[in-house]
Amino acid sequence: MDVFDDDLIKFEADGAALLAVANDQGYVEHEGARIRYATYGSGSPVILLHGGLGHSGNWGYQVPR
């Protein structure tokens, strides 16, 4: 699946692709913060951290890679 949307036109029109079912997911609590995590696939870990008003659904195109 080759998707190139550098101008975010497709993302603006359709949103992100749906995320697959996570291998593992849960929450970590630290100093009053509750942080959700989910793992997908195998191999070396990559941490994706959204900003602002984003959410995990924003990574629908990146996670399959």
Side-chain angles (χ1 to χ4, degrees), residues 1-60:
M1 170 175 123
D2 287 333
V3 176
F4 298 97
D5 190 24
D6 294 341
D7 296 324
L8 300 178
I9 294 168
K10 180 169 178 44
F11 184 81
E12 183 178 0
D14 302 329
L18 295 176
L19 286 171
V21 175
N23 295 350
D24 183 31
Q25 62 183 345
Y27 293 91
V28 174
E29 296 198 27
H30 181 72
E31 295 184 5
R34 187 171 186 221
I35 303 166
R36 181 183 179 272
Y37 71 87
T39 61
Y40 299 88
S42 61
S44 299
V46 175
I47 297 173
L48 301 175
L49 179 63
H50 63 74
L53 299 174
H55 54 82
S56 61
N58 295 137
W59 304 118

